[in-house]
Amino acid sequence: MYVVDEANIEAHGSDPYNPDKTLADKEDWNYAFLERTKAMVERDKNHPCIITWSLGNETGYGKNFMDTYNWIKQRDPSRPVQCEDAGLNGASDIYCPMYKKIDQIENFAQSNDHRPLILCEYAHAMGNSVGNLQDYWDVIYNYPNLQGGFIWDWVDQTFQKYDSLGNQYWAYGGDMGESGIPNDSNFCANGLVQADRSLNPHIWEVKKVYQPVKFKGIDLKDGVIEIENKFDFLNLKEFHFEWIIKSDGKTIHKSEISIIDLQPHLTKIIFLDLPEIIPQRNTEYFLIMKMLPKNGNHFLPDDHIIAWEQFRLPIYKNGITRNIESLPRIQLKETDSILEVFGNDFNLLFNKKSGYLTSFLFEGKELINKGPRLNLWRAPTDNDLGNGMPGRCSMWKNIASEAILKNIDIRNINDFAFRINTTYWHENSNSTFNIAYLVSGDAALKIDAAFSTEGIELPELPRFGIQLILPSEFDSLQWLGRGPHESYWDRKTSASIDLYAGTVWEQYHPYVRPQENGNKTDVRWMGIVQ
């Protein structure tokens, strides 16, 4: 382990970035700065894991930090010294900002500054978080002077308590002591793991992005793969490699690689003897590379995946086009308020005043509790609360109930299909949206949605989608897509495409404060059943 040892100096509550108030430039605090710095160095100087001294954190910058920097350099010239608040121009051997954007660290990498950049904090891991981590590391790996960063932080600092029914929960600021005592809410719950060291979903993204071996597809058709060893000391011959080919969740081929002799920081091209695959219609084939411990490793079980990658093979065969005229016939009935579309074993009801689907009976069973609605909202995450998203984007929260139906258009495509087009207007955002339903004789319902705005500047959309509420007895699901843990458009590197199954409840993760969770990305299909 490489350790940055930081002096216990932080004055975030003293308005440290106001030059007239920062303690870092007040002479009467100089002794305290030096004493804390000296105590750290003298206590820890003989620990070889410590590779860098840090002067402190979030305290502003001034003469007191210059003095502590100079004292350490004369006392221990063997180690670099860093100071976050020194920025680009102060006394620091490492440029160590916090939460710099990707383009900002890339601009530094392309500058003439000879120092390394190590983010002293980034990827704030509070609640549902650690998005766009892969984007950071695509840039970091591209420049030798970008050397990574520190995720804030490792573990939720919460306390185990029980409610009146005996249910355990993680308590945080405001849950202890008398009501009204000042606290920082759940701001100490920002870990990759929970207080009992059980895993939060975002730790899987960190594991995948940080994996010490990278696989790159050079020519997937012929099985040509590049392997890069990012270890500093280990040869890859210390590990076991295997590769499999999967389709629709089933393994159709599995092979092992006897040995890969590859020294640290080097790359090697390997050639896989891919089997001949006769593609089935509408079927994808994936190659998965895995690196595992070799037999006899005393620290990891043999099935522990240290590094992996998934590649979609360039093998595909289109399916047969569906002939809608071969389907059973359907009929339509209309009153002033209700539109009914029905076939042999199904019945759909639309409310003509709201435009919404209100009932979908299939073989006598009601399939919906609440019909499809435009949904531009999601439960805010902790970091959303920190950047003001709930207030900034509040106009999108209730758009489905606030919008006014402007038009409903019913079109008989033929005897086997009907299309119902609905158009809505939302006054607050001067926006319009359309929801179109295509009903065919085999009881299939296809829904298309479109949304457009014009004329005024608007906040971002937290989500764009359709919300459909099913009866509670539909409690199990299966999906072909990314999993098994939750994934998002900016946090899906760690989720492989496969066939997964579970209960609806199992998709929920008990974050310390309830928030957005359980999302799935790149879903080919999903089935929800009783």
Side-chain angles (χ1 to χ4, degrees):
M1 288 184 134
Y2 299 143
V3 176
V4 174
D5 197 0
E6 185 166 88
N8 184 21
I9 297 174
E10 179 169 342
H12 206 166
S14 66
D15 197 6
Y17 302 109
N18 183 331
D20 297 326
K21 295 184 178 181
T22 178
L23 303 184
D25 220 19
K26 292 188 180 298
E27 180 63 30
D28 52 352
W29 282 86
N30 185 269
Y31 178 81
F33 275 60
L34 280 168
E35 284 301 297
R36 290 195 175 200
T37 303
K38 292 176 181 178
M40 170 187 70
V41 173
E42 298 299 350
R43 179 192 66 198
D44 298 338
K45 61 192 175 187
N46 292 323
H47 289 287
C49 65
I50 296 170
I51 63 168
T52 302
W53 301 114
S54 175
L55 301 183
N57 178 69
E58 294 180 331
T59 308
Y61 189 70
K63 181 179 182 301
N64 295 339
F65 274 137
M66 294 182 229
D67 290 348
T68 57
Y69 174 88
N70 290 329
W71 183 87
I72 294 180
K73 296 301 284 188
Q74 60 81 26
R75 182 68 180 93
D76 177 21
S78 69
R79 294 179 174 101
V81 178
Q82 71 177 48
C83 179
E84 176 247 329
D85 283 325
L88 285 168
N89 301 314
S92 183
D93 302 327
I94 297 167
Y95 179 45
C96 52
M98 58 170 64
Y99 303 109
K100 287 295 184 183
K101 297 178 180 178
I102 294 172
D103 62 323
Q104 293 173 316
I105 67 172
E106 186 167 33
N107 288 339
F108 175 86
Q110 296 171 348
S111 72
N112 294 321
D113 199 309
H114 68 279
R115 293 174 296 175
L117 182 152
I118 301 175
L119 291 153
C120 71
E121 287 184 31
Y122 84 125
H124 187 245
M126 188 173 180
N128 182 338
S129 56
V130 194
N132 70 293
L133 188 69
Q134 184 65 61
D135 300 325
Y136 265 100
W137 280 85
D138 287 342
V139 172
I140 290 170
Y141 279 137
N142 203 35
Y143 298 94
N145 57 340
L146 300 183
Q147 296 184 2
F150 292 88
I151 293 174
W152 188 267
D153 55 19
W154 167 242
V155 60
D156 289 341
Q157 294 153 62
T158 52
F159 301 87
Q160 190 179 61
K161 293 192 75 173
Y162 294 87
D163 64 18
S164 59
L165 299 177
N167 300 310
Q168 184 265 323
Y169 68 97
W170 292 117
Y172 50 80
D175 289 326
M176 285 73 73
E178 298 178 10
S179 175
I181 293 177
N183 63 81
D184 209 6
S185 186
N186 67 325
F187 208 79
C188 286
N190 40 23
L192 295 174
V193 299
Q194 295 183 326
D196 62 356
R197 275 51 176 179
S198 58
L199 305 182
N200 283 318
H202 40 277
I203 197 172
W204 295 107
E205 192 76 358
V206 178
K207 178 181 186 294
K208 178 66 172 68
V209 174
Y210 281 16
Q211 69 183 24
V213 171
K214 302 294 182 182
F215 305 92
K216 181 180 178 181
I218 302 300
D219 184 347
L220 293 174
K221 185 174 181 295
D222 292 328
V224 184
I225 304 293
E226 179 186 86
I227 298 181
E228 182 179 6
N229 182 1
K230 288 188 172 295
F231 278 119
D232 290 327
F233 306 108
L234 296 177
N235 189 308
L236 294 192
K237 65 183 180 181
E238 304 293 329
F239 301 93
H240 170 73
F241 288 82
E242 65 182 38
W243 57 277
I244 62 176
I245 296 176
K246 298 190 78 172
S247 174
D248 288 340
K250 298 178 181 178
T251 299
I252 62 174
H253 183 87
K254 182 175 181 179
S255 291
E256 298 181 356
I257 302 173
S258 57
I259 189 169
I260 294 180
D261 187 353
L262 185 61
Q263 295 286 353
H265 301 168
L266 297 180
T267 61
K268 173 177 281 191
I269 298 293
I270 63 170
F271 301 88
L272 306 179
D273 185 14
L274 298 181
E276 182 180 355
I277 297 174
I278 301 175
Q280 302 298 306
R281 295 184 184 276
N282 293 335
T283 302
E284 295 174 291
Y285 298 86
F286 292 95
L287 168 68
I288 301 99
M289 302 290 303
K290 295 181 181 180
M291 185 178 86
L292 305 100
K294 273 195 172 177
N295 293 333
N297 187 302
H298 298 294
F299 301 100
L300 298 171
D302 290 348
D303 61 352
H304 179 83
I305 300 174
I306 301 170
W308 65 274
E309 195 57 73
Q310 181 181 54
F311 304 98
R312 184 178 184 270
L313 293 174
I315 304 170
Y316 196 77
K317 184 178 182 180
N318 290 325
I320 300 173
T321 303
R322 179 167 167 258
N323 181 8
I324 199 168
E325 295 186 358
S326 67
L327 301 177
R329 294 177 181 272
I330 58 174
Q331 299 180 59
L332 182 143
K333 289 183 181 179
E334 235 181 308
T335 68
D336 290 341
S337 59
I338 297 295
L339 172 66
E340 181 180 5
V341 182
F342 59 93
N344 290 345
D345 49 13
F346 72 95
N347 181 289
L348 282 79
L349 295 179
F350 290 86
N351 184 317
K352 292 175 66 177
K353 303 208 179 285
S354 69
Y356 290 127
L357 175 66
T358 58
S359 176
F360 189 161
L361 287 172
F362 180 75
E363 295 181 346
K365 175 69 176 178
E366 180 60 67
L367 299 185
I368 63 173
N369 184 294
K370 188 176 182 180
R373 305 285 196 275
L374 181 72
N375 181 35
L376 304 182
W377 188 253
R378 56 172 172 75
T381 67
D382 278 315
N383 286 333
D384 286 328
L385 299 177
N387 69 41
M389 185 280 276
R392 184 176 66 251
C393 303
S394 60
M395 70 160 52
W396 306 126
K397 188 172 184 179
N398 300 309
I399 190 170
S401 60
E402 296 171 352
I404 300 170
L405 178 69
K406 303 298 289 185
N407 185 55
I408 181 168
D409 179 46
I410 304 150
R411 298 185 182 183
N412 184 353
I413 297 175
N414 51 38
D415 291 340
F416 317 99
F418 281 90
R419 180 181 291 277
I420 297 97
N421 293 315
T422 59
T423 302
Y424 298 83
W425 178 65
H426 185 235
E427 182 179 9
N428 290 344
S429 61
N430 190 30
S431 62
T432 59
F433 65 89
N434 304 86
I435 301 179
Y437 307 85
L438 178 63
V439 186
S440 53
D442 56 354
L445 174 63
K446 180 184 178 184
I447 302 174
D448 290 310
F451 176 77
S452 62
T453 65
E454 58 179 277
I456 59 175
E457 186 174 340
L458 297 167
E460 73 272 19
L461 304 182
R463 167 174 286 158
F464 176 78
I466 292 291
Q467 185 179 70
L468 171 68
I469 300 176
L470 304 183
S472 59
E473 58 262 32
F474 289 87
D475 57 2
S476 297
L477 74 155
Q478 191 175 44
W479 76 98
L480 182 63
R482 294 195 181 274
H485 49 274
E486 64 182 31
S487 61
Y488 298 83
W489 73 272
D490 64 342
R491 200 184 85 203
K492 62 181 183 180
T493 301
S494 61
S496 63
I497 298 170
D498 208 337
L499 182 64
Y500 301 99
T503 66
V504 171
W505 185 249
E506 287 171 341
Q507 312 315 306
Y508 168 77
H509 178 73
Y511 287 107
V512 168
R513 176 156 57 187
Q515 56 197 279
E516 166 72 28
N517 72 87
N519 194 68
K520 312 286 186 262
T521 58
D522 296 333
V523 175
R524 277 60 172 166
W525 59 261
M526 175 181 285
I528 304 177
V529 297
Q530 293 176 268

